[in-house]
Amino acid sequence: MAKEEKNYVNKEREDEMEIYGYKQCLWKLVLVAIGVVCTGGFLLLLLYWMPEWSVKATCTQTSLKEAEIVLLRTTDEFKTWFRVKVYTVFFPGTDPMENSAPRVSKTMENDEGARAAQHHVEHRKKKFLRKISENKAFMVRYFEHHSVTYFWNNFLQNFKDLEGLTEGISWSVIHSHHSKGLSKDLEEYRRLFFGANEVEVKVPSVFKLLIDEQYIMLHDMVAAHSTVRVSVCRPDNEIEETLSTDLVPGDILVIPSNGTVMPCDSVLLSGTCIVNESMLTGESVHQTKINLPNPVKMSKGLEDDEIYSPEKHKRHTLFCGTTVIQTRFYSGELVKALVVRTGFGTTKGKLVRSILYPKPTDFKLYRDAYFFLLCLVGVAGIGFLYTIINSVLNEVRVGTIIIKSLDIITITVPPALPAALTAGIVFAQRRLKKLGISCISPQRINICGQLNLVCFDKTGTLTEEGLNIWGIQRVEDNSFLPSEHNICREALVKSHFVACMAACHTLTKIDGKLSGDPLDLKIFEETGWVLEEATEEETALHNQIMPTVVRPSKQLYPEPVAVMDHEMEMYDLPASYEIGIVRQFPFSSSLQRMSVVARVLGEKHMDAYLKGAPEVVANLCKAETVPESFPEVLKIYTKQGFRVIALAHKKLGSRLTWHKVQNVSRDAIESNMEFMGLIIMQNKLKPDSSRVLEELRKANIRTVMVTGDNMLTAVSVARNSGMILPQDKVIIAEALPPKDGQTAKIHWLYADNASRHLDTSDTASEFIDIKMENKGSGDGLHQMNHYHFAMDGKSFSVVTEHFQDLLSKLVLHGTVFARMAPDQKTQLVEAFQNIDYYVGMCGDGANDCGALKQAHSGISLSELEASAASPFTSKFSDIACVPNLIREGRAALMTSFCVFKFMALYSIIQYLSVTLLYSELSNFGDLQFLFIDLAIILVIVFTMSLNAAWKELVPQKLPSGLISPSMLFSVMSQILISAVFQITSFLLVKQQTWYEVWTPNSDACSSSKLNVTLEHNNTSSQDEKNIKNYENTTVFFISCFQYLIVAIVYSKGKPFRQPTYENYPFMVTVLVLHIFIFLIMLYPVEVIDEALELVCVPYNWRITMLIIIIINAVASFVTEIFLLDLTPWKLLSKRKELGVSHNPANNHQEVLNQKSKSCLSSFFSCGYRKPKAKYMYLAQELSVDPDWPPKPKTTTEANKNHTENGACQIITIM
């Protein structure tokens, strides 16, 4: 076989896949068909589960160009295979973005093309296809995978998805070539490729809906916005109404003035829009969208031209599913937007796809479950062979041999196991719902039980969403004035500082109420000014957008007098003092600033105002206007947990007209500013934050802060909240990228503890002795070494690029990550996962979506539709949901372990019973099987899953998988006990004096102490299946009680679940079953015995069985409770997980001593074991590294020369 050609689709994207081409092979198909028949369909099932085997068993490899089947494999760690069929249709062209409408003529008669088209296109497409002449039709090949269609690209010689108008199209091209709209023929042609503009979520069967609410939520979410009526522009300026499902990339959409729900991704060509993007971002703040600039009309012309990207140019993009609340427009010109993406290609479509087709959950429990099932299959194989050999030796009929041998397989491998494991998750999901936590990914509930690290956003998560202004500190003559707390006073009304506070925002009025970013709103309200917007009628009278106007309230505005104060630049103002906002540059999280261009009524010049992060604003200002004490003053406030905003101003030239301002670049405005001062804002902790963080700390669950705020502010909040304890030290890693031929470097600064004192002395680099204290337990090794790393987003980027060897060490003790961009938050979560942490992420939904999706368990504190990106959503906006979720996750995980062990024991016990009876050519009767499976197993499984979570988080942690010493000992010991007592009773009954081969005339009860004689029909025919016999009755009663015994033994309570005696349904079920089985065993009822095909045995044998059952129960309880739960097994398990003593040594010799002293006194291995988790092993290595953590006032440089493994050598300079 030729070597497979390796190609990729979605190259260098998150969903990158390898793709291989295959053609169906007739002789292989025939062989597989024969195999399917011979195996009774089992081969077909196996090939369905294994797409790679399926393709290679039925196809031969070929080039992608000729492929009938493509085999896809993801390039992530899961390497998942998919088999997809390639379809062929005939279209009038092969490039959907052709601007020339296809020529249409007579009907095309091509049966094969018509049949294929029925699969791909709806009715309107088929009508259009019938118009295409045969000589103008082109063959188009495509396949569909995960709701995305991939078309064959002749140029690339590969399949490629369609990205609409987002591939390498510049601003100028959008305005010059795509701003006129599409003709109807061209629209129909593009619809052949792009399909209907809808995000369709197929609703599965009713049974699946009962288990999984995700599809209901998604279906409801997309159904509300699936189809709306829209207006589109044609090239002849004709406005036409159509359905949103008919839209294709290139259509020009008219946005109505009263707003609409966006049915697609579009770029705004004219006008402005106020948009609610909560569906995508979780942010309830309304966003202002401005039209895409036309480089031709800009000051620098095509020099300012850029390649359009919806993700990069969000302020110009209207995303699908978001709500346009209000529009503003030019006189006589409509607000128009160009459709760039439709259907599942939109941002909303991608979000829905990520939920419909999530990455496989890499959880050890599930991997071990598959391995355990394979073991059961092996056991079943042994029983299968034994049954065949035993039956052949006893000359059993072939039909009976086949039935019995297949029976043993179904008995050993329980088909009800998936449903049993699902039950605990469903009950946990219901309990979470009562706690105000909704879940759209139930399989992640179990993973929550393993979380050992939780990342928290700061603003809106740990702290209150709203901010209070503490005061301001203005700058005069290049120095700071004393802080001021009263802003609403006459002396400041006409200052540029207050003008900046009042004008530099994106606030708007919706239904007469101010709306916008809470920070902007708070600052504006503090000024006491009012905002007025032009009405639609006023706007229609002008050739330009009427500006938003801000002015002081009547109470603030003084009588107009001439003022000559050198601190004020505004004087001799007219009686009506107003500021018009001419142009806005909205806040950008990547730029960390916003600005506006404004004009005071009556002035001939305009002013630019800038607001943003202090470090960013200072860099954009003239150096002579920034006070020398700026770093020290900023440090004073940020150390106390204040949020600081800097303001700047620039007077623009009088030649800059209104129209020129609309086309000037942002960089030209935001440069050479004059620094004006600081706004100091308080961000208070939420009431529950400190308590919850303390609870997590006590449970050995690490907590990390990931925020977009200032570094020192974040450190202060971390200290105040208890995330960093008072005695712990903070090391700031300040990484600098390579510059001027110098290598990348990291400066290590030890932050001082004076977080609550207004001391301007620079103690940031004081030497601090770090002592390793013997505190903490469990897997919280980070708690032993009381130091924490803190870094900002820029440093994180440098470390990830130039210091890969240090990254894992830094994140091991990293607690505060400030100024982090949304993609950096995702990278940080991934970095934690790479060292084997189970990571939770808790955020308010704004800019946290990527991290929420990347984490093992993402918890959104927003109830908005953006929560669909997060597996869990809390109805309450505080972090109290985190311990609740972990507690329920632990309870669900413990339930899964209990249920799995119980189902494994149920299978093995029944396997032993049937194998013993097979030796006598007997078996359980149909009603006996039914009684065991329905009355005992099914009821027990569902009721034992009802244990609620324990009320506290404890330091102990659950094993992550089934392959652990304690789990294996538990299962194997119970199997051994069950086998011993079953075999003992089976052999013992044969030794009884009354024993004989049972016949319908047998009456072993006549001499018993129980004066009950059952009537037998002496004339009845011999039992052909040999169900009724003494062995069957004995094994049936013993096994029934064994099911109940292991159910009670495995139904664990504290410390992860409520005690079993509080699970009333389970207790009632077990009690009723015990009573019932005891009654029919000790006091047989003829009707029940006949139904269950039981025979009468002497009373003394019944008492003997009771004694055997009691001894069995005692043995099971003693083994599980005393030999497993209360002995060194816990220590052995803990030692295996930690791999190091809880007393970290300061040098290598002390570590060796600890190893020798900590050997278990049990007969199990007492040698030193390397921890499995990477972060534990790393912590163990660092505990004996004399050079870690780096000493204060040192610098670490990356060597230019790379080592053989590609890592950078690290050089530390004192």
Side-chain angles (χ1 to χ4, degrees), residues 919-951:
S919 68
E920 297 295 323
L921 301 182
S922 179
N923 197 358
F924 283 142
D926 291 340
L927 281 179
Q928 288 177 328
F929 275 123
L930 204 61
F931 176 78
I932 291 171
D933 292 343
L934 295 185
I936 299 179
I937 304 302
L938 189 64
V939 179
I940 287 292
V941 161
F942 283 99
T943 55
M944 79 184 302
S945 302
L946 291 173
N947 283 53
W950 182 236
K951 58 187 177 182

Side-chain angles (χ1 to χ4, degrees), residues 30-49:
V30 172
L31 286 179
V32 169
I34 295 172
V36 169
V37 173
C38 294
T39 58
F42 179 76
L43 179 60
L44 185 64
L45 188 62
L46 179 64
L47 294 180
Y48 176 79
W49 286 339

Side-chain angles (χ1 to χ4, degrees), residues 895-907:
T895 298
S896 295
F897 285 139
C898 295
V899 169
F900 194 94
K901 290 195 293 183
F902 174 71
M903 292 298 291
L905 262 296
Y906 148 65
S907 298

Side-chain angles (χ1 to χ4, degrees), residues 782-795:
H782 56 280
Q783 295 178 356
M784 304 173 200
N785 304 326
H786 297 301
Y787 63 92
H788 305 260
F789 286 113
M791 68 177 74
D792 58 18
K794 291 180 181 178
S795 297

Side-chain angles (χ1 to χ4, degrees), residues 106-355:
K106 298 180 182 178
T107 304
M108 179 185 78
E109 295 181 2
N110 187 312
D111 292 337
E112 181 181 353
R115 285 195 302 270
Q118 287 175 0
H119 172 83
H120 180 61
V121 296
E122 65 273 0
H123 177 67
R124 292 188 63 177
K125 290 183 182 177
K126 287 188 279 185
K127 276 185 73 176
F128 186 69
L129 284 172
R130 294 192 192 103
K131 300 178 184 178
I132 304 170
S133 62
E134 188 171 358
N135 61 339
K136 292 297 180 183
F138 297 89
M139 184 176 70
V140 176
R141 302 171 64 248
Y142 73 95
F143 68 86
E144 293 182 3
H145 176 66
H146 286 178
S147 301
V148 175
T149 305
Y150 297 83
F151 288 91
W152 176 254
N153 187 304
N154 278 318
F155 177 75
L156 298 175
Q157 287 294 296
N158 198 356
F159 288 93
K160 189 178 186 305
D161 61 334
L162 301 178
E163 297 188 15
L165 292 173
T166 61
E167 292 184 282
I169 298 180
S170 65
W171 292 5
S172 58
V173 171
I174 287 176
H175 281 284
S176 60
H177 292 82
H178 298 284
S179 60
K180 303 298 182 183
L182 302 178
S183 65
K184 296 196 70 170
D185 281 346
L186 185 53
E187 184 185 63
E188 291 281 1
Y189 170 65
R190 287 189 179 178
R191 195 178 299 118
L192 294 175
F193 291 89
F194 288 98
N197 174 36
E198 58 184 359
V199 181
E200 183 183 6
V201 177
K202 295 179 181 179
V203 180
S205 63
V206 175
F207 175 75
K208 192 167 184 179
L209 286 177
L210 292 175
I211 298 175
D212 195 345
E213 296 180 10
Q214 172 184 351
Y215 289 95
I216 299 175
M217 180 179 179
L218 284 177
H219 184 268
D220 292 345
M221 184 181 83
V222 302
H225 306 152
S226 58
T227 306
V228 294
R229 296 202 68 83
V230 296
S231 298
V232 295
C233 290
R234 298 299 178 197
D236 55 2
N237 291 326
E238 178 188 353
I239 306 298
E240 178 182 303
E241 272 207 3
T242 184
L243 291 176
S244 60
T245 51
D246 292 336
L247 293 174
V248 296
D251 273 327
I252 299 296
L253 195 61
V254 177
I255 311 297
S257 58
N258 59 345
T260 185
V261 175
M262 289 302 299
C264 55
D265 285 353
S266 306
V267 57
L268 197 59
L269 298 180
S270 61
T272 61
C273 296
I274 307 299
V275 183
N276 182 349
E277 293 189 330
S278 60
M279 199 287 294
L280 293 179
T281 65
E283 181 60 75
S284 59
V285 177
H286 299 145
Q287 304 295 318
T288 299
K289 302 288 183 174
I290 59 176
N291 62 292
L292 186 75
N294 188 346
V296 176
K297 299 180 180 179
M298 295 172 71
S299 57
K300 295 183 180 179
L302 292 178
E303 291 182 19
D304 291 328
D305 203 5
E306 294 185 37
I307 299 299
Y308 170 71
S309 167
E311 287 71 31
K312 182 180 177 182
H313 303 113
K314 291 182 179 180
R315 65 181 181 275
H316 308 302
T317 306
L318 304 173
F319 293 103
C320 178
T322 60
T323 304
V324 177
I325 299 172
Q326 182 177 301
T327 64
R328 301 179 70 191
F329 51 89
Y330 292 95
S331 173
E333 186 174 349
L334 300 173
V335 178
K336 298 178 182 179
L338 171 67
V339 178
V340 294
R341 295 187 298 207
T342 58
F344 277 101
T346 63
T347 305
K348 175 183 175 181
K350 291 175 182 177
L351 173 61
V352 174
R353 279 201 305 122
S354 70
I355 300 167

Side-chain angles (χ1 to χ4, degrees), residues 468-474 487 497 500-501 519 523 526 611 614 637 642-647 677-682:
N468 298 315
I469 293 184
W470 178 84
I472 62 174
Q473 192 148 12
R474 295 184 295 131
I487 301 171
F497 193 97
C500 183
M501 292 178 65
L519 178 65
I523 293 175
E526 194 70 19
K611 176 177 71 177
Y637 289 120
F642 289 113
R643 183 169 183 179
V644 182
I645 305 293
L647 307 182
L678 307 173
I679 302 175
I680 301 97
M681 311 189 77
Q682 283 182 315

